Amino acid sequence: MSPTSTTVTTEWETVIGLEVHAELATRTKLFCGCPNRFGDEPNTNVCPVCLGLPGSLPVLNEQAVTLAIRLGRALRCEVRRSIFARKNYFYPDMPKNYQISQYDLPINVEGRLELPQSGSMVGIERAHIEEDTGKSTHVGGGGRIHDAGYSLVDYNRAGVPLLEIVSKPDLRSADD
Amino acid sequence: MTAPTQSALDIAADVRAGRRAAAAVVDEHLDAIEARDDEIHAFNLVLADEARQAALAIDRRVAAGEDPGPLAGVPVALKDNLCTAGVPTTCSSRILEGWRPPYDATVVEKLADAGAIVVGKTNLDEFAMGSSTENSAFGPTRNPHDTSKVPGGSSGGSAAAVAAGFAALALGSDTGGSIRQPAALCGVVGMKPTYGRVSRYGLVAFASSLDQIGPLSRTVADAAALYQVIAGHDPRDATSIPEPVQDVRAGLVEGVAGLRVGVVTELCEAEGIQPDVMARVRQAIDALEEAGAKVDEVSVPAVVYGLTAYYLINPAEASSNLARYDGVRFGLRVDAPTTGEMYDRTRTAGFGAEVERRIMLGTYALSAGYYDAFYGKAQRVRTLIIRDLEAAYERFDVLVGPTAPSTAFPFGAKTADPLTMYLNDVCTIPSNLSGQPAISVPFGTGDDGLPVGVQVMAPALGEAAMFRAAAAVEAGAPERGDA
């Protein structure tokens, strides 16, 4: 007999943690001067740096750090000296095949957010800065990579600054 | 036909004064290339038309009374891992064969501003991984002093170009000795600046914490002049040093009276150092002493771990830096039904054996469970080496030793076992790990008549003292013939 929604909610405890990637509203990308702008023609807001062309080098966008700190303070985080680290893996929308992110020493740690409706407290484990990837459009099949005939990659979004916010598993309901 | 031997400074002085046309200088060097590069293969690409156009532009500026720049009319060769806009930049790899960067490296822009004339892109070990230029996907470069011997590497093409008179100056890159060792084997000057002193923007990355661009030349004064042009802060390179560049040229003639020179025991006794090479180093040290330097032995104990630390750090960083070569956006693509297979086929077809070896080593060293044991440990050993070098520099202004353990070796002599090849870097590696400057100065020949290089090392931002000592070593060197 398959479980009904009543058995699920009475016999199982709901425990939810969220990982949210929020794009930071900077004028330019995290490591280069390309516009941080949605909706333009594909591959028009790109340069050697965000395309990861050989010989290119990243230079940090100060405004991204300012916004990250502001968000961190809003989440009552401890703001710390932090380091960027490379997350190495292969994927066509990630030009360097590594993502410049933060790992051991993130900029914001140990914060909390009081939810407006329920008043519950959600712990914020960390909120770190990292670069976004490009956008893949899989053509053919079901629009997913597995049965696509081919894929198109738009790098306008590659290098846009993100704050990755990781909550503790403190959420107890869908409403929260 | 004898190859041109005029120094870069003399060429520039003549061109600036209108005594020689840049067009004539360039033609003379292009003739030398045409006469002998089929044999030497210093170049992946000769830019004859572009060089002639650039020379005409320089001559027009001189005629119009404008300042054509401090290196006006000087033919320069660029290692083929330096991005040149619209001009193929291959890193001597099949995976970048034909790739044209859409931008110039910062050093390339600086050379153009200085009036120098690029005559071509030089051969290298693929992605700068190697010590003999035998790892090039396009065939090796031959040592102009003896074409049965290697020119060293990875900047073998640049060193050979200067030694053969194809260019008065060259730029190379040095990650573990890749400017200094080929300079020593080819009998030219080769220098690696303090890490961050020269912008890496536009240098195709191999090992980001170790790579530096530097000059190769026939004289110390020429190297200093080229260094002066390329050094300086670049906002496009976040590791670039903000402090203004000291002018090292005036100090070249100051001499070394009172300069404290340390002879590094462990480097002089390193595995495989040829006795005839060491004899020349001792001669150079005597020359420094005669010139008034205060010479003494110094132990830098941790330096013996340099090779091991380097051959963990460099592959680790390279495995990450070379991940971008995947056939998706630029360069070679070998088609396949799926993306994963396309990656595999492209990278297998595109990379040579040494590159593949280092990517695998590096990926392993960085993998979960091994990261701290290998890469982490190697970086901590690096700190120990830095500390021992800094301790030595409390008592000494510069350190001296051999650049390479041997003179130029025959093709194939060291390719059977990668470790044998890696030993070539034992004397040069410490300065890359510490980020400190070092220079190789030609000093006589070995028993086989092949060039020997003496290395002068200095603390970070100590280029002035380094060049002073280098000039004194050069002044005391035995007479040498041309290639």
Side-chain angles (χ1 to χ4, degrees):
Chain A
M1 192 177 74
S2 65
T4 63
S5 59
T6 350
T7 25
V8 165
T9 47
T10 54
E11 293 181 13
W12 293 84
E13 185 187 344
T14 307
V15 178
I16 300 170
L18 283 181
E19 189 180 298
V20 174
H21 292 80
E23 283 187 348
L24 297 175
T26 54
R27 198 175 50 81
T28 59
K29 293 186 178 182
L30 183 56
F31 293 115
C32 66
C34 289
N36 175 4
R37 200 163 57 213
F38 179 82
D40 291 342
E41 279 298 294
N43 295 312
T44 51
N45 297 328
V46 292
C47 75
V49 176
C50 55
L51 284 175
L53 293 188
S56 64
L57 292 173
V59 181
L60 184 57
N61 179 333
E62 188 178 328
Q63 180 67 357
V65 180
T66 303
L67 293 179
I69 294 175
R70 208 181 278 172
L71 268 164
R73 299 295 301 269
L75 290 171
R76 316 272 194 100
C77 290
E78 182 192 327
V79 178
R80 292 180 174 172
R81 172 186 165 266
S82 64
I83 290 183
F84 284 97
R86 295 181 181 184
K87 189 170 167 182
N88 291 286
Y89 64 96
F90 283 77
Y91 203 71
D93 63 19
M94 198 168 65
K96 299 182 291 297
N97 287 319
Y98 60 84
Q99 178 196 33
I100 301 179
S101 176
Q102 296 191 309
Y103 182 62
D104 281 341
L105 291 175
I107 188 166
N108 297 312
V109 293
E110 292 305 313
R112 65 191 183 282
L113 177 66
E114 184 179 334
L115 298 180
Q117 300 278 353
S118 61
S120 322
M121 238 3 152
V122 180
I124 302 294
E125 192 158 295
R126 53 190 284 154
H128 70 254
I129 305 170
E130 62 183 25
E131 55 177 350
D132 206 345
T133 64
K135 189 170 75 176
S136 299
T137 304
H138 306 299
V139 183
R144 311 272 308 192
I145 194 171
H146 306 290
D147 35 17
Y150 60 94
S151 303
L152 302 170
V153 191
D154 174 14
Y155 294 105
N156 283 351
R157 198 182 67 193
V160 161
L162 296 175
L163 197 72
E164 177 179 314
I165 307 167
V166 181
S167 81
K168 299 205 176 168
D170 291 344
L171 295 161
R172 292 287 177 271
S173 68
D175 289 334
D176 271 350
Chain B
M1 195 221 96
T2 47
T5 55
Q6 203 184 13
S7 77
L9 286 176
D10 286 348
I11 291 172
D14 279 350
V15 169
R16 287 171 61 84
R19 287 191 294 272
R20 281 192 81 189
V25 173
V26 163
D27 279 340
E28 181 191 37
H29 287 79
L30 290 175
D31 286 347
I33 292 170
E34 174 141 351
R36 222 184 151 204
D37 199 43
D38 279 350
E39 185 196 8
I40 303 291
H41 185 221
F43 289 98
N44 286 342
L45 180 65
V46 179
L47 297 164
D49 291 337
E50 294 85 341
R52 290 195 176 101
Q53 292 301 316
L56 290 175
I58 294 289
D59 287 333
R60 278 196 292 272
R61 300 197 61 181
V62 172
E66 294 161 20
D67 184 350
L71 294 177
V74 179
V76 180
L78 298 178
K79 187 174 184 180
D80 206 12
N81 60 357
L82 288 166
C83 286
T84 41
V87 171
T89 300
T90 69
C91 302
S92 286
S93 176
R94 296 232 172 273
I95 217 163
L96 279 180
E97 198 170 2
W99 179 63
R100 293 168 188 268
Y103 72 104
D104 276 326
T106 298
V107 293
V108 173
E109 289 180 351
K110 289 191 164 201
L111 279 180
D113 288 344
I117 297 179
V118 176
V119 290
K121 307 297 294 293
T122 58
N123 197 16
L124 58 149
D125 282 297
E126 188 180 359
F127 283 108
M129 300 183 195
S131 308
S132 65
T133 313
E134 289 171 288
N135 293 328
S136 167
F138 307 132
T141 296
R142 301 186 173 279
N143 192 315
H145 293 274
D146 177 342
T147 55
S148 72
K149 306 289 198 307
V150 302
S154 61
S155 310
S158 283
V162 173
F166 298 159
L169 295 173
L171 284 184
S173 70
D174 190 312
T175 303
S178 287
I179 287 174
R180 293 163 285 154
Q181 183 258 18
L185 268 52
C186 286
V188 300
V189 176
M191 180 249 173
K192 180 198 82 71
T194 303
Y195 183 84
R197 186 77 284 190
V198 174
S199 171
R200 288 182 299 118
Y201 186 78
L203 170 67
V204 179
F206 157 22
S208 310
S209 75
L210 299 164
D211 293 343
Q212 269 294 277
I213 299 168
L216 293 100
S217 61
R218 280 191 290 276
T219 69
V220 172
D222 277 357
L226 180 48
Y227 162 78
Q228 214 66 52
V229 164
I230 61 175
H233 180 249
D234 181 10
R236 292 179 295 188
D237 176 356
T239 63
S240 160
I241 295 174
E243 277 86 331
V245 184
Q246 206 186 354
D247 193 328
V248 300
R249 292 166 296 181
L252 290 177
V253 297
E254 262 171 35
V256 293
L259 193 74
R260 301 167 303 163
V261 175
V263 181
V264 182
T265 316
E266 290 83 2
L267 293 184
C268 296
E269 294 172 359
E271 184 176 341
I273 305 241
Q274 270 172 217
D276 55 343
V277 167
M278 205 50 229
R280 290 299 191 185
V281 174
R282 294 277 167 214
Q283 239 187 308
I285 291 165
D286 289 343
L288 285 171
E289 215 162 11
E290 270 159 52
K294 299 271 167 273
V295 180
D296 205 348
E297 292 259 329
V298 62
S299 170
V300 185
V303 133
V304 302
Y305 302 116
L307 201 68
T308 325
Y310 174 75
Y311 276 101
L312 275 170
I313 294 170
N314 97 61
E317 297 187 3
S319 72
S320 181
N321 285 327
L322 269 64
R324 68 194 69 204
Y325 304 105
D326 60 6
V328 175
R329 289 161 299 286
F330 57 85
L332 179 73
R333 178 193 283 193
V334 179
D335 260 311
T338 68
T339 312
E341 280 172 71
M342 189 271 284
Y343 286 156
D344 283 347
R345 292 188 198 177
T346 299
R347 288 165 69 83
T348 304
F351 288 143
E354 182 62 28
V355 169
E356 291 182 350
R357 185 175 296 128
R358 295 201 198 187
I359 290 173
M360 286 191 283
L361 268 175
T363 307
Y364 184 74
L366 290 176
S367 62
Y370 294 111
Y371 179 97
D372 202 61
F374 289 136
Y375 186 70
K377 188 73 162 206
Q379 291 282 44
R380 289 194 287 279
V381 167
R382 182 179 188 170
T383 302
L384 295 179
I385 294 169
I386 292 171
R387 280 196 199 149
D388 280 1
L389 281 168
E390 284 176 349
Y393 286 124
E394 306 252 305
R395 296 167 44 212
F396 296 94
D397 299 308
V398 297
L399 302 176
V400 168
T403 302
S406 73
T407 51
F409 44 91
F411 290 100
K414 303 203 181 191
T415 49
D417 173 6
L419 295 181
T420 318
M421 188 65 82
Y422 296 164
L423 284 170
N424 281 300
D425 302 333
V426 65
C427 298
T428 46
I429 275 168
S431 302
N432 297 94
L433 291 173
S434 66
Q436 294 163 335
I439 187 170
S440 181
V441 182
F443 200 95
T445 56
D447 293 342
D448 50 14
L450 292 171
V452 171
V454 172
Q455 184 177 220
V456 178
M457 300 155 57
L461 297 179
E463 277 85 348
M466 184 200 72
F467 272 115
R468 262 175 72 201
V473 168
E474 180 183 58
E479 283 302 309
R480 52 192 166 97
D482 296 319

